[in-house]
Each structure stands twice: as C-alpha cells, then as structure tokens.
C-alpha cells in the first residue's frame, strides 16, 4: 500500500512515513513488513528527494545518521526495531 510523496494514507491504521535509501536492505525489510501487514505507509528516498531529507533532518533535530527512519504518527524510530515499530502501531 505504498503512497507516493506526501499523499496521506486513507486508512484507519496509523500513517507511517519510511525514510530510506535504495541500497538499504533494512529499508526494504521495513517496507516488506508494512506491506505484509497491510499497513499503509509513505516512502521517501532521502538520497533522491532533497525535501524529504530536509524534512527528516528537521524531525531528528540534527543530521541523519542512518536509515531507515520511521515516523509512526509522530513517533520517530531510527533503524528497523520491530519491537518499537509494533509498539508504536499498537499505541496509535
């Protein structure tokens, strides 16, 4: 259920933004997890989308140290931390 750019997900489930890069295997793992669960998300490749990179720097209040970075309804999760991802999804 990939959404393009800033299109909002039309779902009762949480809106998630995945910031990643094409070469990042953990980014692909995160995308696959959301697709398998049927959870809507928006994906931004921060190496190809300068605006998305700048948005992420603002959310992190500093430089990007790695990807993926997930924004689950405002909760920022750096890295593919399945426990934190599931907790954030359950809390929203």
């Amino acid at each position: 259920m990939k959404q393009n750019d800033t299109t909002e997900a039309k779902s009762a489930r949480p809106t998630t933004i995945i910031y990643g890069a094409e070469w990042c295997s953990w980014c692909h793992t995160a995308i696959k997890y959301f697709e398998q669960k049927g959870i809507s998300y928006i994906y931004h490749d921060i190496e190809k989308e300068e605006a998305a990179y700048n948005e992420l720097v603002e959310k992190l209040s500093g430089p990007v140290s790695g990807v993926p970075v997930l924004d689950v309804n405002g909760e920022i999760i750096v890295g593919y931390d399945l426990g934190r991802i599931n907790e954030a999804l359950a809390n929203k």
Side-chain angles (χ1 to χ4, degrees):
M1 285 193 216
K2 181 177 176 181
Q3 303 287 320
N4 292 326
D5 300 323
T6 58
T7 304
E8 291 297 320
K10 295 179 180 176
S11 171
R13 295 190 181 232
T15 298
T16 298
I17 303 172
I18 301 172
Y19 297 91
E22 187 175 324
W23 51 265
C24 172
S25 63
W26 288 112
C27 299
H28 295 285
T29 300
I31 289 167
K32 184 176 178 181
Y33 179 75
F34 280 86
E35 288 178 351
Q36 287 176 339
K37 295 292 185 181
I39 300 171
S40 296
Y41 66 91
I42 299 165
Y43 175 77
H44 290 295
D45 185 323
I46 63 168
E47 293 186 331
K48 295 179 180 175
E49 302 172 42
E50 184 176 354
Y53 176 82
N54 293 334
E55 177 181 284
L56 182 56
V57 167
E58 186 175 317
K59 286 182 180 184
L60 294 173
S61 299
V64 178
S65 61
V67 287
V69 177
L70 291 82
D71 178 342
V72 181
N73 277 353
E75 184 173 338
I76 303 300
I77 301 168
V78 179
Y80 182 72
D81 183 335
L82 190 54
R84 285 194 62 207
I85 291 168
N86 285 331
E87 183 178 314
L89 291 169
N91 289 334
K92 303 300 175 182

PDB file of all heavy atoms in Angstrom, residues 3 5 10 35 42 48:
ATOM      1  N   GLN A   3       2.248   4.733  -0.657  1.00  0.00           N
ATOM      2  CA  GLN A   3       1.714   6.025  -1.051  1.00  0.00           C
ATOM      3  C   GLN A   3       2.869   6.825  -1.637  1.00  0.00           C
ATOM      4  O   GLN A   3       3.991   6.726  -1.188  1.00  0.00           O
ATOM      5  CB  GLN A   3       1.146   6.767   0.170  1.00  0.00           C
ATOM      6  CG  GLN A   3       0.073   5.996   0.895  1.00  0.00           C
ATOM      7  CD  GLN A   3      -1.220   5.968   0.119  1.00  0.00           C
ATOM      8  OE1 GLN A   3      -1.621   6.939  -0.471  1.00  0.00           O
ATOM      9  NE2 GLN A   3      -1.859   4.816   0.104  1.00  0.00           N
ATOM     10  N   ASP A   5       5.014  10.237  -2.424  1.00  0.00           N
ATOM     11  CA  ASP A   5       5.367  11.541  -1.885  1.00  0.00           C
ATOM     12  C   ASP A   5       4.606  11.849  -0.603  1.00  0.00           C
ATOM     13  O   ASP A   5       4.702  11.131   0.351  1.00  0.00           O
ATOM     14  CB  ASP A   5       5.173  12.627  -2.943  1.00  0.00           C
ATOM     15  CG  ASP A   5       6.052  12.378  -4.162  1.00  0.00           C
ATOM     16  OD1 ASP A   5       7.194  11.917  -3.975  1.00  0.00           O
ATOM     17  OD2 ASP A   5       5.610  12.629  -5.278  1.00  0.00           O
ATOM     18  N   LYS A  10      -5.085   6.634   3.353  1.00  0.00           N
ATOM     19  CA  LYS A  10      -6.505   6.642   3.670  1.00  0.00           C
ATOM     20  C   LYS A  10      -6.849   5.337   4.344  1.00  0.00           C
ATOM     21  O   LYS A  10      -7.347   4.419   3.729  1.00  0.00           O
ATOM     22  CB  LYS A  10      -7.322   6.852   2.396  1.00  0.00           C
ATOM     23  CG  LYS A  10      -7.087   8.199   1.766  1.00  0.00           C
ATOM     24  CD  LYS A  10      -7.890   8.380   0.509  1.00  0.00           C
ATOM     25  CE  LYS A  10      -7.616   9.739  -0.091  1.00  0.00           C
ATOM     26  NZ  LYS A  10      -8.297   9.922  -1.348  1.00  0.00           N
ATOM     27  N   GLU A  35       3.882  -3.915   4.091  1.00  0.00           N
ATOM     28  CA  GLU A  35       3.048  -4.458   3.018  1.00  0.00           C
ATOM     29  C   GLU A  35       2.416  -5.791   3.430  1.00  0.00           C
ATOM     30  O   GLU A  35       1.245  -6.033   3.159  1.00  0.00           O
ATOM     31  CB  GLU A  35       3.862  -4.597   1.735  1.00  0.00           C
ATOM     32  CG  GLU A  35       4.150  -3.246   1.112  1.00  0.00           C
ATOM     33  CD  GLU A  35       4.996  -3.302  -0.143  1.00  0.00           C
ATOM     34  OE1 GLU A  35       5.537  -4.379  -0.487  1.00  0.00           O
ATOM     35  OE2 GLU A  35       5.137  -2.248  -0.785  1.00  0.00           O
ATOM     36  N   ILE A  42       4.008   5.798   3.654  1.00  0.00           N
ATOM     37  CA  ILE A  42       4.561   6.684   2.639  1.00  0.00           C
ATOM     38  C   ILE A  42       6.065   6.430   2.658  1.00  0.00           C
ATOM     39  O   ILE A  42       6.665   6.354   3.731  1.00  0.00           O
ATOM     40  CB  ILE A  42       4.254   8.158   2.973  1.00  0.00           C
ATOM     41  CG1 ILE A  42       2.746   8.384   3.020  1.00  0.00           C
ATOM     42  CG2 ILE A  42       4.918   9.091   1.967  1.00  0.00           C
ATOM     43  CD1 ILE A  42       2.343   9.683   3.687  1.00  0.00           C
ATOM     44  N   LYS A  48      17.297  10.747  -3.022  1.00  0.00           N
ATOM     45  CA  LYS A  48      16.725  11.238  -4.282  1.00  0.00           C
ATOM     46  C   LYS A  48      15.768  12.407  -4.081  1.00  0.00           C
ATOM     47  O   LYS A  48      15.436  13.092  -5.034  1.00  0.00           O
ATOM     48  CB  LYS A  48      15.989  10.101  -4.995  1.00  0.00           C
ATOM     49  CG  LYS A  48      16.906   8.984  -5.439  1.00  0.00           C
ATOM     50  CD  LYS A  48      16.142   7.879  -6.108  1.00  0.00           C
ATOM     51  CE  LYS A  48      17.085   6.766  -6.552  1.00  0.00           C
ATOM     52  NZ  LYS A  48      16.360   5.621  -7.112  1.00  0.00           N
TER      53      LYS A  48
END
